[in-house]
Amino acid sequence: MSTTAHDTVDRARFAREWEDWHRVHEQRRADPHGFLAVAALFWLEPEPQTYPGIPGRWQTSEGGPVVALAAGESLVVDGRRIEGVHAFGPIAERAAETVGFAGGVIEVARRGGRDILRPRRPDFAFLSAYSGTPSYAPDPRWRVQARFVRYVVPRPHEVGAAVDGISHVYESPGYLELVLGDETRRLVTFPGHVPGTLNVLFTDATSGDTTYAANRSLSIDEPDADDRVVVDFNRAVNLPCAYTDFATCPLPPAENRLSVRIEAGEKTPTARAHGVVTAYGIEPREGASIEAVRAG
């Protein structure tokens, strides 16, 4: 395995820095309106539908999601209270709008070409019971030097999803070339959340054993002027689909399914949120459109 010069690394300091980073990551994950608070997933239909625990009758349209609120019902959109009929307008793929309601917030989003609703409730039992994610002990040996190879023009990559019947398309700016297990390997990258940074979705020989079967994610700093970058597998994390049935996470491209064991980063979560009835503790109302989501 080719790594950075880990022999000179202060291992105690390395561990502390990783622990600080992972604590912040866990805090974001367990935010009262974060992904562990997602209590259901609803796919909007062209005909108006009601959904358990959510105000209004909702539908999708060529112009985007629309909600019709009955007398006494309201939502908070962009900081203002709305009543009656509200059209959200077209929502871009992977974008979302957050709407306030009495029980928390509703994520109005578009995934795989379809409009969805995901209520996020601070009182959701799964969030309240969450006690953290097990991880491998941080090890400097898994900080790997890599070379970023840029495509002349970004290349579209279509990948599967944690939901049957949809897919995601990402524009890849290039790939990483690195040595793992004495072999040179390539990892296709996608744009990171911060401009200039990269994201890698991958599986490895631990997937389905000690780590989540479907995918893990790794954020990577912007490459330097020589397109060199450090890939720290200690910071590999689970995507939301590792925790909940209500996620539409992308799966790794075929090139990123590694045969080597990456014994670093987060392991399989110890608990998982299931089913809309479990989420709300009630049976769906007549006319509700609920689609079960199967992860991995």
Side-chain angles (χ1 to χ4, degrees):
M1 178 185 304
S2 175
T3 65
T4 58
H6 57 81
D7 291 339
T8 62
V9 170
D10 182 331
R11 298 181 71 91
R13 179 179 176 182
F14 182 83
R16 287 195 302 270
E17 290 176 348
W18 180 90
E19 288 164 0
D20 290 344
W21 164 81
H22 197 242
R23 182 173 57 254
V24 172
H25 181 74
E26 288 277 41
Q27 289 170 349
R28 287 197 301 265
R29 178 183 279 149
D31 183 88
H33 291 150
F35 216 95
L36 299 185
V38 174
L41 167 63
F42 302 110
W43 301 84
L44 296 186
E45 304 290 346
E47 295 299 319
Q49 307 280 342
T50 58
Y51 298 99
I54 296 179
R57 294 176 63 84
W58 296 77
Q59 67 187 104
T60 188
S61 70
E62 290 185 2
V66 177
V67 61
L69 297 161
E73 292 183 326
S74 65
L75 295 170
V76 176
V77 179
D78 292 331
R80 62 184 181 88
R81 185 168 177 266
I82 63 167
E83 299 174 328
V85 177
H86 178 77
F88 288 87
I91 296 180
E93 185 69 28
R94 293 191 293 280
E97 185 164 345
T98 300
V99 176
F101 77 117
V105 299
I106 304 168
E107 176 191 6
V108 185
R110 189 168 181 83
R111 298 294 184 268
R114 296 181 62 183
D115 292 327
I116 66 171
L117 302 179
R118 280 192 286 220
R120 301 185 181 215
R121 303 179 59 102
D123 61 355
F124 185 38
F126 182 74
L127 172 63
S128 301
Y130 179 69
S131 59
T133 297
S135 301
Y136 283 100
D139 188 337
R141 293 183 308 127
W142 288 105
R143 295 183 75 248
V144 182
Q145 293 279 8
R147 182 172 71 98
F148 179 53
V149 180
R150 300 175 186 271
Y151 298 134
V152 175
V153 177
R155 299 179 183 179
H157 270 67
E158 182 174 0
V159 296
V163 180
D164 292 338
I166 73 168
S167 61
H168 300 278
V169 178
Y170 294 90
E171 294 287 328
S172 171
Y175 61 86
L176 295 171
E177 192 171 76
L178 67 167
V179 176
L180 290 172
D182 298 324
E183 292 185 24
T184 299
R185 303 170 192 267
R186 291 181 177 180
L187 290 172
V188 172
T189 68
F190 297 139
H193 293 296
V194 177
T197 64
L198 304 171
N199 180 260
V200 169
L201 301 172
F202 73 97
T203 58
D204 63 275
T206 69
S207 302
D209 178 15
T210 55
T211 63
Y212 182 58
N215 51 26
R216 284 194 289 168
S217 175
L218 187 58
S219 294
I220 298 166
D221 291 338
E222 184 174 7
D224 66 17
D226 296 320
D227 280 334
R228 298 287 176 178
V229 69
V230 172
V231 178
D232 189 352
F233 285 101
N234 292 285
R235 302 196 178 194
V237 298
N238 294 317
L239 274 72
C241 57
Y243 300 88
T244 176
D245 286 354
F246 312 134
T248 62
C249 300
L251 302 180
E255 300 93 324
N256 292 7
R257 299 180 183 274
L258 301 171
S259 58
V260 67
R261 288 181 67 86
I262 306 294
E263 295 181 332
E266 290 190 330
K267 297 182 178 180
T268 306
T270 56
R272 183 178 180 82
H274 294 284
V276 69
V277 174
T278 300
Y280 283 100
I282 59 173
E283 294 291 335
R285 293 202 298 269
E286 183 178 355
S289 176
I290 301 169
E291 179 169 326
V293 179
R294 294 176 296 282

